[in-house]
Amino acid sequence: MFNFFGVRRNRCNRSLIYNLVGYEKVRDMIYDNENILIDVRSKNEYDIMHVINAVNIPVSKLRFCESEYKNKRCIILYCSSGIRTKEAITILNNMGYNNLYIWEYGSLSNFPFKDMLKI
């Protein structure tokens, strides 16, 4: 599995805290109601296509849901390419979240389960 975010450091040279999981594992996690899958893309992008069971919280609005998902066991994040996913990890880490998960790149573009996409 390729760790797109490298050494897990953000712009302030602070460690990013997240878990990189394989596709099969994340597939199971998406169906588990104790976890939450967050699509951090814009609403327009989400409306065009998203992974089933995903909620849409654009990365620009993550700061406003500070405690909303603290009770979830795992928070799985994705965007189109991984760039906004990395930004979302930084924001959520700064808010105290450390139960963050991504698949390789944290991007929809390489999500292999086309049957799990809602178009």
Side-chain angles (χ1 to χ4, degrees):
M1 219 174 341
F2 179 74
N3 184 358
F4 176 68
F5 303 141
V7 294
R8 297 185 182 179
R9 301 260 180 223
N10 64 15
R11 284 180 234 141
C12 300
N13 205 27
R14 291 174 46 194
S15 294
L16 293 177
I17 302 168
Y18 64 93
N19 300 283
L20 185 64
V21 293
Y23 294 116
E24 293 297 327
K25 170 83 173 155
V26 84
R27 181 184 186 119
D28 294 339
M29 291 172 73
I30 289 169
Y31 286 116
D32 185 337
N33 289 332
E34 292 186 33
N35 302 322
I36 185 80
L37 175 64
I38 301 177
D39 183 325
V40 298
R41 300 173 304 147
S42 72
K43 181 172 177 1
N44 289 341
E45 290 171 293
Y46 175 85
D47 288 344
I48 292 169
M49 176 178 56
H50 60 272
V51 178
I52 59 171
N53 295 339
V55 297
N56 179 230
I57 306 174
V59 73
S60 62
K61 298 188 189 236
L62 277 175
R63 288 177 177 86
F64 305 109
C65 62
E66 185 163 344
S67 62
E68 194 170 338
Y69 298 111
K70 289 253 188 204
N71 64 340
K72 293 296 184 180
R73 182 175 43 201
C74 303
I75 298 172
I76 309 156
L77 302 164
Y78 76 92
C79 69
S80 296
S81 66
I83 294 169
R84 287 174 283 186
T85 300
K86 185 175 182 180
E87 185 179 348
I89 290 169
T90 300
I91 290 167
L92 292 170
N93 281 173
N94 289 337
M95 292 168 54
Y97 287 86
N98 59 11
N99 56 338
L100 308 176
Y101 290 77
I102 63 166
W103 59 80
E104 190 170 322
Y105 298 100
S107 72
L108 185 59
S109 64
N110 67 348
F111 190 71
F113 304 114
K114 303 308 178 204
D115 61 316
M116 292 179 69
L117 298 178
K118 187 167 184 170
I119 301 173

